[in-house]
Amino acid sequence: MDSEETEMGQPNSEIQGFPLEKGETSNVVFSREAPLVSKESTMAGSCNCSMKKLKSAVPAKESDFCRNDKSGHDRKLTRQDRIELGQLFQGAVSSHDWELAESLILLADSQTLNDALCVTLDAIWFLSTQQELYEITGLIKKIIANGAYDFTRAALRTSFLASCVSACQSRTMSLADTVTVMAQRLHERLQECHGDEVLKAEAGAKVQKFTEWALKCIGSHSRCQGNNDRVNHCSAIEIQLQLTAFKTFLDLAGNQLTGKDFAEAFDAACFPLTLFSRSFDAGWASGISATVIEGLLDMLVEGGADNVNQCFLEASRFGSTELVRILLQIAQRNSLDVDVDLALGFASHYCKIGTMECLVEEGNAMAFLGPLMRAAERGCMQVVQWFVKRGCRDMELCLALTAATSSSQVDVAAYLLPHVPHHVLTALSIEILKAAGERSGGSLDGVAFLLHSDFLGEAAATYAVADSIAKSDDEAVAPELKAFVQEHWSEAAFLDGLKQGQEHYMNLMRIFKRGESPIYLRDLPAPLRVAIAYMPLYRECVEVGGRLLSQRLRGQLVEAVRMLGGGALEEVSQGRELLDILEHHLPPFLVCAPSVG
């Protein structure tokens, strides 16, 4: 980052847009930064400088600056001359000594005139009287008449500053604390962005330095107005004066400002609000503090800014709810289209619940399906619950359940399952399992959850759906899903489970009769013999949870219960009843509280 200092003593800084999501970039470019206050005046933190000293310094400087009688276009000052002249000019503007400020303009070269234009334009956001408006607009006109031409830099810089002023008026903390909050918000925002870490660090340093400058500027003007590290809340009359001054500047600039300049200034004005707005009180956008920034943004749109939707999407992504609210109002007033549904997708992706509320209630966003499915896939329970509580259609819920199942987000699937109507599940059961298997990415935990949960509400129906997939010749059925249900949930798996149970029993009998252990197992109490034989099976059944056992486990359990003398089992088909019988034969101290229902 360029760390040189300009002639007025402020950091030479350039803020360039850092990379966001694919397809998103911030186009704000603050070209060479001109200062508002010198280092000395910033560090001093007061406006108690003696005007006598300023005025007494002017004659001596005039003899240095005006040894030749060239005009501002041709005059070329040394770097030291620019610094000294800039300090004098800044002091004159801060103390409202307009006569002195005008006299200093006559001594400036073109570069210093451009810096003076920036300094004077920045001061408009602290106007409080009609006389100040008259004087400062007159000063701007004289600076331009004498050769200032860098309207782009002045517009971008003052738009950024105006936004910071408006943001700081909404806060109750001191400006010193605001610097800390700003740095934290900027760090959080950069962390949410994708891209090269080095570039992000460089962009962050540039943005932070520029924002710190803005806050120092605000602090300097606040102290000049008699406030101790606080920002005055402007009245409606003061706000109108400030906006009038900015409109005068735009009129004077005329066609020197292009549509691109207006767009970049619009982006510059929005950016600070994305850092601060999460700290705003609810409803800030409809309060007096937001009036300045609304008026500024409206004028930039009138001038040709065409990036309202881009800024709107970015604000939604970062959860800048109050800025989203303002941009919605601007879009409505200027008959502009903003993509509220895409914005809802951004806000929900980053779990910005407050912004989601605003987009739905005030922006009339209605496209719930995409954001809901993506939240279900990611396992973002808070967003899923928000959408469900707002009201989703049956098919939206069903598709969200499928998304959660396919990505094995079991907690989300468990939340969604009771909300999907039974008739929808019944009609689409095979398609739900097929879609979940197709997009599973290798894990079928979600599918297993649905089957264990008896998602159709009837064991026979759930088992039948699984068996139909196992026997299906449909090429649309993922091979992994088909192999899974064939092994665990098909009728063939049940028969295989019975066979395994029989083999297990035969092996136990051989051990009891022919084993060479010094402990005679057949002499142990019956409950202990049952525990030795079937405790592993019992624990496996308990651990899987849910209402249904897989067909393979169910087959093994049926055979175990039959061998224990459980009687006729034709009517006992559920995991809970079978486990109850097995538990009856186990020692009480080994029995778990099963989750199989």
Side-chain angles (χ1 to χ4, degrees):
M1 180 177 64
D2 189 356
S3 58
E4 295 179 7
E5 292 190 353
T6 64
E7 286 69 16
M8 284 191 176
Q10 284 296 319
N12 186 21
S13 173
E14 180 180 285
I15 300 180
Q16 297 191 1
F18 43 84
L20 304 176
E21 296 284 3
K22 184 176 181 182
E24 297 176 61
T25 55
S26 174
N27 295 320
V28 181
V29 178
F30 292 100
S31 55
R32 188 177 56 79
E33 158 60 357
L36 181 81
V37 284
S38 69
K39 272 188 173 178
E40 290 77 4
S41 62
T42 299
M43 298 303 292
S46 70
C47 291
N48 295 326
C49 53
S50 168
M51 291 317 301
K52 290 182 179 180
K53 291 182 180 180
L54 282 175
K55 291 181 177 180
S56 64
V58 172
K61 294 303 174 186
E62 283 183 353
S63 62
D64 293 332
F65 298 150
C66 298
R67 285 172 183 164
N68 57 66
D69 56 357
K70 295 179 181 179
S71 66
H73 287 290
D74 301 324
R75 186 181 298 119
K76 185 68 175 178
L77 300 179
T78 66
R79 182 176 184 276
Q80 184 60 33
D81 287 342
R82 289 196 192 98
I83 292 174
E84 293 178 4
L85 184 59
Q87 291 173 352
L88 290 171
F89 185 81
Q90 175 64 65
V93 172
S94 297
S95 59
H96 295 178
D97 190 332
W98 311 113
E99 181 181 353
L100 175 58
E102 288 187 9
S103 68
L104 293 173
I105 291 171
L106 301 176
L107 308 177
D109 62 4
S110 59
Q111 182 175 334
T112 311
L113 285 168
N114 286 328
D115 291 344
L117 177 61
C118 289
V119 169
T120 308
L121 189 59
D122 291 343
I124 69 175
W125 308 115
F126 306 94
L127 291 177
S128 57
T129 67
Q130 185 71 40
Q131 181 62 29
E132 290 174 5
L133 170 65
Y134 172 78
E135 297 290 356
I136 207 164
T137 51
L139 187 59
I140 291 173
K141 291 175 183 177
K142 188 163 188 177
I143 292 171
I144 294 173
N146 276 268
Y149 59 85
D150 197 348
F151 300 102
T152 299
R153 176 160 65 100
L156 267 63
R157 163 186 159 127
T158 204
S159 298
F160 187 93
L161 178 62
S163 182
C164 290
V165 171
S166 186
C168 289
Q169 286 177 343
S170 73
R171 305 181 59 80
T172 57
M173 66 176 64
S174 67
L175 286 168
D177 292 334
T178 301
V179 172
T180 303
V181 171
M182 175 277 303
Q184 179 184 350
R185 295 284 187 268
L186 178 60
H187 175 75
E188 292 171 357
R189 172 165 180 171
L190 288 171
Q191 289 303 307
E192 293 178 349
C193 293
H194 298 297
D196 183 85
E197 292 299 322
V198 175
L199 293 177
K200 283 164 55 175
E202 291 176 354
K206 291 176 182 179
V207 174
Q208 182 165 343
K209 198 162 190 177
F210 201 96
T211 310
E212 287 176 351
W213 158 79
L215 295 175
K216 287 178 182 178
C217 165
I218 295 169
S220 173
H221 277 280
S222 297
R223 288 186 289 274
C224 286
Q225 295 174 343
N227 301 308
N228 185 21
D229 204 25
R230 297 283 176 179
V231 182
N232 253 349
H233 287 266
C234 295
S235 66
I237 295 176
E238 291 171 332
I239 290 172
Q240 189 57 48
L241 293 175
Q242 294 163 10
L243 292 175
T244 299
F246 184 69
K247 182 64 167 61
T248 300
F249 163 74
L250 294 181
D251 292 340
L252 291 170
N255 58 11
Q256 298 297 314
L257 288 174
T258 66
K260 180 182 177 183
D261 294 332
F262 281 104
E264 290 180 347
F266 192 95
D267 206 349
C270 290
F271 181 79
L273 299 181
T274 66
L275 297 181
F276 290 114
S277 70
R278 279 190 288 166
S279 312
F280 292 168
D281 295 330
W284 173 82
S286 58
I288 190 70
S289 297
T291 306
V292 166
I293 200 65
E294 283 193 67
L296 170 69
L297 294 175
D298 272 328
M299 281 189 270
L300 294 175
V301 169
E302 291 171 7
D306 59 0
N307 57 335
V308 177
N309 188 55
Q310 177 186 331
C311 293
F312 175 71
L313 295 176
E314 190 170 329
S316 300
R317 173 189 172 178
F318 290 103
S320 305
T321 305
E322 295 303 315
L323 177 57
V324 168
R325 187 169 282 120
I326 286 175
L327 294 178
L328 280 172
Q329 296 167 1
I330 288 174
Q332 183 178 9
R333 283 197 296 269
N334 293 275
S335 300
L336 300 175
D337 290 329
V338 287
D339 197 336
V340 292
D341 290 328
L342 182 56
L344 180 62
F346 281 136
S348 63
H349 183 81
Y350 292 97
C351 200
K352 308 299 184 183
I353 300 297
T355 305
M356 293 164 61
E357 298 261 5
C358 175
L359 290 167
V360 171
E361 295 177 0
E362 300 176 38
N364 299 316
M366 296 181 291
F368 284 12
L369 178 58
L372 173 60
M373 288 184 64
R374 287 189 287 272
E377 287 175 341
R378 297 193 314 274
C380 187
M381 181 68 81
Q382 186 180 7
V383 171
V384 171
Q385 290 176 332
W386 184 87
F387 276 115
V388 172
K389 291 174 182 175
R390 294 292 306 190
C392 298
R393 293 188 288 270
D394 293 346
M395 280 305 301
E396 290 174 335
L397 294 169
C398 183
L399 291 170
L401 174 63
T402 305
T405 302
S406 66
S407 55
S408 296
Q409 299 293 347
V410 174
D411 289 342
V412 174
Y415 172 77
L416 288 169
L417 183 56
H419 291 88
V420 183
H422 181 265
H423 71 274
V424 175
L425 291 173
T426 301
L428 299 174
S429 56
I430 293 179
E431 298 305 319
I432 291 171
L433 294 179
K434 284 168 57 178
E438 182 181 1
R439 298 183 296 173
S440 64
S443 173
L444 293 169
D445 290 347
V447 173
F449 163 77
L450 285 186
L451 295 172
H452 282 301
S453 300
D454 188 15
F455 74 114
L456 294 181
E458 183 180 350
T462 301
Y463 284 135
V465 166
D467 192 58
S468 68
I469 291 178
K471 296 175 180 177
S472 175
D473 294 326
D474 188 352
E475 294 181 357
V477 177
E480 296 83 0
L481 174 64
K482 187 172 183 178
F484 173 74
V485 294
Q486 283 176 341
E487 182 180 356
H488 298 284
W489 289 91
S490 64
E491 185 65 27
F494 174 73
L495 297 175
D496 194 46
L498 288 176
K499 182 179 178 181
Q500 289 178 357
Q502 292 168 0
E503 292 174 352
H504 178 68
Y505 181 78
M506 293 299 296
N507 288 333
L508 285 172
M509 291 302 100
R510 292 189 184 103
I511 293 172
F512 286 161
K513 293 179 180 180
R514 304 175 188 176
E516 297 180 358
S517 171
I519 300 175
Y520 290 95
L521 298 181
R522 60 188 174 187
D523 293 338
L524 293 174
L528 289 179
R529 293 201 304 269
V530 174
I532 292 171
Y534 294 113
M535 200 63 198
L537 175 61
Y538 171 74
R539 286 176 175 166
E540 186 177 0
C541 292
V542 171
E543 286 173 2
V544 296
R547 299 180 59 191
L548 294 185
L549 294 173
S550 69
Q551 288 280 46
R552 179 174 294 278
L553 279 179
R554 176 171 163 265
Q556 294 178 41
L557 193 55
V558 165
E559 186 61 26
V561 171
R562 188 178 69 82
M563 291 304 175
L564 292 174
L569 300 177
E570 290 78 7
E571 298 179 0
V572 181
S573 59
Q574 310 305 314
R576 179 66 261 173
E577 292 92 331
L578 293 169
L579 275 180
D580 284 342
I581 296 172
L582 181 55
E583 285 177 2
H584 180 72
H585 292 83
L586 290 171
F589 65 88
L590 293 178
V591 173
C592 305
S595 57
V596 177

